[in-house]
Structures are given as structure tokens and as C-alpha cells.
């Protein structure tokens, strides 16, 4: 079994089309087909079901793919370890993050890190909360910044970076707009703008409202923080939003109001794998952000 065969197999599995895989790999279609055939001959099983010009994985093919993805990640990490062993200050950091952390938190941390280590490169992956956790478990990435931190995950280690307030964002012409603070129950009759179901921030907000005896009436949904702020700015509803997402700029025609009774908060932190060592440059960044946010919190307090 050769690494080339494995990479050809993974590309075909991804695209479910031999010609498209060959084009992506910049090799002849016959070369890809031959290597897949040789791999199946060596393993003694069919990895694909052929359907004209398209293919799809057999059941054993899907299992084999899962193992090969982990194996290739290990090989790629090993190559990167060797490169970074020579100089960890010139490595590449692969890091995942959720939408609500994209505008301020992660860029701020990266900016200050690169002031000390200007030759380090970053590859950033924005994804949903659960996909980021799964990515760290599977080895697609080794660090993710998420909020809130997950509980009861055996294969990941979590470090709290900071705790942030969740505030109300409402249109500036709203009857409550001149208030210095709001009780959550005062929003029970409002139309809400929230993330769709399956987003963890929506779950945090729903749980807080339910604890106060009401379920928010969701009139509009947005898959990213900017669209949610835009809908509120247009007067289409109110929302509850992490304060850090509006730290630089309050959206037009909106006001930010602290929420009391209860005070809504969420923990934000870094997750890393328990069963794998971080690469040298990743370890450098991981230790940096823990210290950076500790110093930042002390300064703010």
C-alpha cells in the first residue's frame, strides 16, 4: 500500500468521480483508475460501487476512508513536526473558530501573536460549534476557539480564555431603547432574531429565556453574526448577542443594553486533543493565548 494510492483513493471518495479527481490531482484518469484497482486488489475488497462515470463508497470503503483520513493526518503532522523542529517560529498553525468569534477575538489574538512571531503562518477554518469539536477529535485541526466550552468530552482538553456577557441588541426606536438595563422577562413578547436551530449560541439564549418562563418568538434567523445585527438594525426584531461581537462598532440604528435577572454569560476558550501532541508552533500559540487573555482580563478588571 503506497501513500500515493491512499491520496488517490481519498480524492476519488471526496468527489465521487474519477475524472474530476484526476483533474484535481493533475494526473491521467487511467493512472487514478489503475492505482484504485491495485489498492482494491491488495486489500481484497471493493472500495467503490461503479455507476457509469460516477462512483460511491461501499460500506467497507467508508470505514477504510475514516482510518485513512486519520493516518494521513498523522503523516502530515509528522512532516510538519520535522519542519517546525528546525524552527517553530516559522511554522503554520491550523485553527478553527465559530462565527461569533471571527470579528474581534481571534483577529486580536493573532495580531498580538504575530507581533512577536512575524514568520508564523495561519490557516483558519470557520465552522459550526459541533463540527469544530469533531474536527479536533478526528485530527482535522488541533486547536479551535469556541464558546461555550463543551462538557463531558473525553477526547479533548478545554482551557477557559475568558467569560463574556451576552447583551440585548435592539432597534434605537424601540420603546425600551432608553433603558440602562433590562430584565430578560421584559423581552418575552418581542420578536427575536437568532441563529438557526443547531447553533450553540441559540441554545444558550433559549435556555436562559426558558428559565425565566418564556420561549422566544423567533421571527428571523441568520447564519452569521453580521446578518443578525443587520436584521436588528433594520427594525425586524431584537436579539441577545455576545458583547464582544459589537465591541468595535455598534450597528446603525441599534442600542446595546445589559441584561440582568439573569445575567447571561458564556465561557470562551480553546480546545485541543487529549490523545495527540500539539505541533511545536501550535503549542507556542496555545500557551500564548492562555497568557494573553489572562493578562487582558487582569487589565480590564
Amino acid at each position: 500500500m503506497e501513500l500515493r494510492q491512499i491520496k488517490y483513493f481519498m480524492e476519488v471518495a471526496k468527489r465521487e468521480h474519477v475524472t474530476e479527481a484526476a483533474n484535481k490531482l493533475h494526473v491521467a484518469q487511467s493512472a487514478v483508475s489503475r492505482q484504485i484497482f491495485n489498492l482494491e486488489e491488495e486489500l481484497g475488497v471493493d472500495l467503490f460501487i461503479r455507476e457509469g462515470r460516477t462512483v460511491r463508497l461501499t460500506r467497507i470503503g467508508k470505514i477504510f476512508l475514516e482510518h485513512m483520513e486519520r493516518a494521513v493526518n498523522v503523516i502530515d503532522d509528522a512532516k510538519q513536526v520535522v519542519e517546525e523542529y528546525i524552527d517553530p517560529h516559522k511554522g503554520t498553525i491550523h485553527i478553527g473558530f465559530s462565527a461569533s468569534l471571527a470579528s474581534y477575538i481571534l483577529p486580536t489574538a493573532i495580531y498580538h501573536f504575530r507581533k512577536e512571531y512575524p514568520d508564523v503562518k495561519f490557516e483558519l477554518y470557520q465552522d459550526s460549534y459541533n463540527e469544530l469539536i469533531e474536527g479536533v477529535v478526528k485530527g482535522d485541526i488541533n486547536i479551535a476557539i469556541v464558546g461555550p466550552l463543551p462538557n463531558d468530552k473525553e477526547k479533548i482538553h478545554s482551557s477557559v480564555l475568558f467569560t463574556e456577557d451576552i447583551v440585548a441588541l435592539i432597534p434605537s426606536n424601540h420603546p425600551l431603547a432608553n433603558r440602562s438595563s433590562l430584565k430578560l422577562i421584559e423581552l418575552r413578547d418581542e420578536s427575536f432574531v437568532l441563529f438557526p436551530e443547531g447553533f450553540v449560541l441559540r441554545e444558550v439564549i433559549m435556555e436562559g429565556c426558558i428559565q425565566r418562563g418564556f420561549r422566544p418568538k423567533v421571527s428571523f434567523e441568520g447564519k452569521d453574526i453580521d446578518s443578525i445585527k443587520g436584521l436588528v438594525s433594520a427594525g425586524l426584531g431584537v436579539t441577545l448577542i455576545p458583547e464582544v461581537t459589537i465591541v468595535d462598532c455598534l450597528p446603525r440604528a441599534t442600542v446595546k443594553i445589559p441584561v440582568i435577572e439573569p445575567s447571561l454569560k458564556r465561557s470562551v476558550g480553546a480546545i485541543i486533543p487529549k490523545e495527540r501532541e500539539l505541533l511545536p508552533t501550535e503549542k507556542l500559540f496555545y500557551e500564548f493565548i492562555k497568557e494573553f487573555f489572562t493578562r487582558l482580563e487582569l487589565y480590564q478588571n
Side-chain angles (χ1 to χ4, degrees):
M1 190 183 307
E2 301 176 3
L3 182 59
R4 179 178 57 177
Q5 291 176 326
I6 300 305
K7 291 193 172 182
Y8 284 12
F9 160 73
M10 291 174 63
E11 193 65 39
V12 173
K14 175 182 177 181
R15 299 180 181 279
E16 295 187 335
H17 199 287
V18 177
T19 302
E20 291 180 8
N23 291 338
K24 178 64 177 179
L25 293 164
H26 303 293
V27 296
Q29 176 182 331
S30 58
V32 174
S33 298
R34 183 170 60 255
Q35 292 299 333
I36 296 297
F37 175 79
N38 291 343
L39 180 61
E40 290 178 320
E41 282 284 298
E42 181 178 347
L43 294 173
V45 295
D46 289 330
L47 298 172
F48 293 102
I49 298 171
R50 277 73 176 177
E51 298 176 332
R53 295 186 177 183
T54 62
V55 297
R56 57 186 175 89
L57 288 168
T58 61
R59 181 175 177 277
I60 190 62
K62 293 177 181 178
I63 296 172
F64 184 70
L65 176 62
E66 291 177 4
H67 286 276
M68 290 303 99
E69 286 175 336
R70 289 196 292 269
V72 170
N73 282 334
V74 170
I75 292 170
D76 290 342
D77 282 355
K79 290 167 62 179
Q80 194 167 338
V81 165
V82 173
E83 294 170 359
E84 294 180 13
Y85 181 80
I86 300 171
D87 188 354
H89 296 178
K90 294 184 178 180
T92 299
I93 296 171
H94 304 264
I95 184 167
F97 61 98
S98 55
S100 62
L101 302 171
S103 61
Y104 181 77
I105 293 300
L106 190 58
T108 299
I110 291 174
Y111 170 77
H112 287 280
F113 180 78
R114 294 195 78 247
K115 287 176 69 175
E116 294 189 32
Y117 307 103
D119 294 324
V120 169
K121 300 178 181 63
F122 283 84
E123 290 191 10
L124 306 178
Y125 304 87
Q126 182 174 323
D127 214 331
S128 68
Y129 181 79
N130 290 324
E131 289 299 323
L132 291 172
I133 294 172
E134 185 65 19
V136 172
V137 171
K138 290 174 59 179
D140 297 333
I141 52 177
N142 283 336
I143 304 178
I145 309 297
V146 298
L149 289 175
N151 297 318
D152 303 324
K153 295 292 183 180
E154 296 181 357
K155 295 186 178 182
I156 62 174
H157 175 75
S158 302
S159 294
V160 176
L161 299 177
F162 62 92
T163 301
E164 64 175 345
D165 292 323
I166 294 177
V167 300
L169 185 70
I170 67 176
S172 56
N173 61 356
H174 193 281
L176 298 172
N178 62 349
R179 296 282 296 276
S180 60
S181 64
L182 288 173
K183 294 180 180 179
L184 188 56
I185 192 65
E186 294 181 89
L187 300 176
R188 63 184 179 276
D189 296 323
E190 300 295 331
S191 295
F192 275 76
V193 181
L194 296 179
F195 282 104
E197 291 185 3
F199 282 70
V200 69
L201 188 55
R202 178 186 173 116
E203 295 172 8
V204 170
I205 293 168
M206 294 293 286
E207 182 179 346
C209 293
I210 290 170
Q211 287 178 357
R212 278 298 181 268
F214 73 99
R215 180 177 291 274
K217 180 177 67 176
V218 182
S219 300
F220 294 92
E221 296 179 341
K223 290 187 176 181
D224 62 74
I225 209 76
D226 287 333
S227 63
I228 288 175
K229 291 188 289 187
L231 290 167
V232 175
S233 179
L236 299 177
V238 305
T239 194
L240 297 169
I241 193 171
E243 188 172 22
V244 73
T245 63
I246 49 176
V247 69
D248 280 338
C249 181
L250 196 64
R252 178 188 59 81
T254 67
V255 295
K256 174 192 74 173
I257 304 178
V259 176
I260 59 174
E261 295 186 22
S263 175
L264 295 179
K265 297 180 180 291
R266 73 165 180 173
S267 60
V268 175
I271 58 173
I272 62 174
K274 281 185 178 179
E275 300 176 352
R276 302 188 309 277
E277 286 287 329
L278 293 181
L279 299 173
T281 310
E282 291 172 338
K283 187 177 295 184
L284 196 66
F285 181 69
Y286 179 63
E287 296 301 328
F288 173 87
I289 57 175
K290 288 194 295 182
E291 181 182 354
F292 174 75
F293 283 107
T294 297
R295 286 190 279 113
L296 187 63
E297 186 172 5
L298 290 173
Y299 174 77
Q300 291 175 337
N301 292 336

